[in-house]
Amino acid sequence: MLRSKYINTPLLVLLFALLLVPHAINAQPDQFDKLLEDFYQEGLKLSPLVATVNNGDNRYNDQLEIDISDEYRTAFVNYYKKYKSQLTQFERSSLSEDRQMSYDILLWECNINIEGGKYRADLMPINQLFAMPLMMGQLASGMGAQPFASMKDYDNWLKRLDGLVEWTDLSIVKMREGIKEGYVLPKPLTERMIPQYESLAIGPVEDHLYYGAVKNMPETFSKKESARIKKAYLDKIQNVIIPAFNRLHTFLKDEYLPNSRETDGLGGLPNGLAYYNYLIKLQTTTELDADQIYKIGLAEVTRIRFEMMKVKEQVGFEGSLLEFFNDVRSNKKLMPFKTAEEVLANFERIHQRIGPKVKEQFDFNPKIAFEIRRVEAFREATTSAHYMMGSPDGSRPGIFYVPIPDATKYNTYSDESLFLHEAIPGHHFQASVGLENTSLPTFRKFVWYGAHGEGWALYCESLGKELGLFTDPYQYFGMLGSEMHRAIRLVVDAGIHSKDWTREQAIQYSLENEALAEDIIISEVERYMAWPAQALSYKIGQLKIQELRAKAEHEMGVNFDVKKFHRKVLESGGLPIKILEQKIDAWIATNNKS
């Protein structure tokens, strides 16, 4: 999920404000609430794509942030400096309990984003997973968050495409600067990108990814309106979009690839280890460093391997655990489908199966609708299953996306745990409950912290037996495999970025400790290379939520109610881990006093 961003305020204004207000003021609720709302609204103006995709706000659908420009990066930092200055003028202790939580969250946002401004992520603006052209490609079909219901919607998209061309050309400038400064991607990642942009740099226009919305025009449009749109889109794609992607593809192939680095982790970049430890803080919302993460991962891998051995013995497999991994990877009984529709239908069966049991674990059910969809063809080969949250007004459902490049090779052994994680009660509940909580300040409905959100989703996998799943030992092994996968990430991610592990070393370690197919493991390792530290958030967050539940069960005894615990974890929206811990501790303390 995308994060909200920032806006510019002259430094002299900030300094003058600080001189005028030397002491913190007693907080007036309406003044404090206005500060939070101003923070949110200014963020949308600076991040119009975030407004459209994450927040369902269509006021800025014709605009696109050029977030890699020097001007934008300055605006980013100044936006957070401005709101930190205004925030710290309030006396926190005079706020209500919930407003104190908002204070702490906003202060976290300000501090972490100001700190991040000193690192040069702008010099590596694209990779095989995330880049503005790929995000815009998802929207171009007309089936995503960008609306295509009116003539104005279609005209908005044409204007937004002008911003995309500006962004794409600037990305080449930035990557050339990166080559000079030593900030370049590892060679395997560049090799992944070249065919992606080659496919976007060719016609015919009618078959181009960015022509999708034209094929899905509303039937209510008149012939004259439809003809105008078709002509405008044909011209834009043929004469503007395709040439821009051709420039990017040519640059990647002829200039960037020969200069891509041989090292695989951030340790190969200037100030790389410091940047990695910053990203650990950003993604886990903890003070753990790379070495601590690595050691936690090793311990978890050892623990989970022991549990896997039990399943191997239960099914009567007589070989080694590594041989059992290979058997699970290639077992044709676990690949029963011939079509993508059958794969999707299997997930719907899981959905229906857990329905009654969910009510025993949760006292709420999101109003936002839920759908299961296949990943679009253009990104199916390079992405994994994931969830895209719905819009707060319910106009767009929460969507569980499943990549199915070849249904005949689709292995089902982890489908139950995957559904619990990405769909229900994982990301769909986590995202929707926050959006539907009308008491939350607007900005808190959309903040995202991986350790909380992904930690919650991984925690939900452990609820499988309580939800009537994992009766098949292979599906339970799939849950263990999923947990092992996240434990391996701690070792491999920290290994690559802080201990000079190679891509090949990371692949081999993963093959020896989990049952995923080799091609998936390769894709995952390259994901860690492209998105450092993000993969750490799952396991770190899960361990903390499990720790907090165990603490609540122990200290509350017969008064512990799992439904209330689950609500407490989710009801406040996204939270940094320390703030979540404070919230649960306060709940336990209040209960023990009553």
Side-chain angles (χ1 to χ4, degrees), residues 15 57 83 134 171 173 251 304 321 342 345 349 363 366 402 426 447 452 524 537 551-552 579-580:
L15 293 173
D57 190 319
Y83 279 97
L134 299 183
S171 75
V173 174
F251 166 78
I304 299 167
L321 185 58
E342 290 176 307
R349 284 193 292 271
D363 60 4
V402 184
V447 291
H452 187 192
E524 285 292 297
S537 59
K551 180 179 181 179
I579 297 175
L580 173 64

Side-chain angles (χ1 to χ4, degrees), residues 303-427:
R303 179 186 65 81
I304 299 167
R305 278 183 69 93
F306 181 75
E307 294 299 316
M308 288 179 154
M309 289 293 292
K310 293 180 182 178
V311 178
K312 181 182 77 71
E313 293 168 4
Q314 180 185 356
V315 300
F317 189 86
E318 296 181 354
S320 68
L321 185 58
L322 184 58
E323 289 171 331
F324 187 50
F325 290 157
N326 291 330
D327 179 73
V328 171
R329 291 186 188 108
S330 59
N331 193 328
K332 293 301 180 182
K333 292 181 181 179
L334 299 174
M335 305 176 199
F337 303 129
K338 295 182 179 179
T339 67
E341 289 71 24
E342 290 176 307
V343 175
L344 298 178
N346 187 52
F347 281 112
E348 181 56 36
R349 284 193 292 271
I350 296 170
H351 181 199
Q352 297 303 319
R353 184 176 170 187
I354 67 172
K357 292 287 186 178
V358 167
K359 296 177 182 178
E360 298 175 6
Q361 295 284 318
F362 299 87
D363 60 4
F364 55 85
N365 187 41
K367 297 184 180 75
I368 295 174
F370 168 76
E371 290 184 11
I372 304 167
R373 294 184 189 174
R374 182 180 182 179
V375 168
E376 303 92 334
F378 81 95
R379 63 191 183 101
E380 196 164 41
T382 58
T383 193
S384 55
H386 61 281
Y387 175 82
M388 180 69 74
M389 71 178 184
S391 60
D393 63 1
S395 61
R396 187 178 75 246
I399 303 169
F400 170 38
Y401 279 105
V402 184
I404 317 171
D406 185 346
T408 64
K409 296 179 180 178
Y410 184 91
N411 196 312
T412 64
Y413 86 98
S414 62
D415 276 7
E416 290 182 358
S417 59
L418 179 62
F419 187 85
L420 295 175
H421 182 111
E422 297 292 348
I424 296 171
H427 286 319

Side-chain angles (χ1 to χ4, degrees), residues 32 72 117 144 211 220 280 298 316-317 372 400 428 441 468 541 577 587:
F32 185 75
Y72 193 91
Y211 194 70
T220 55
I280 291 174
L298 290 175
F317 189 86
I372 304 167
F400 170 38
H428 184 60
I577 286 296
W587 173 58

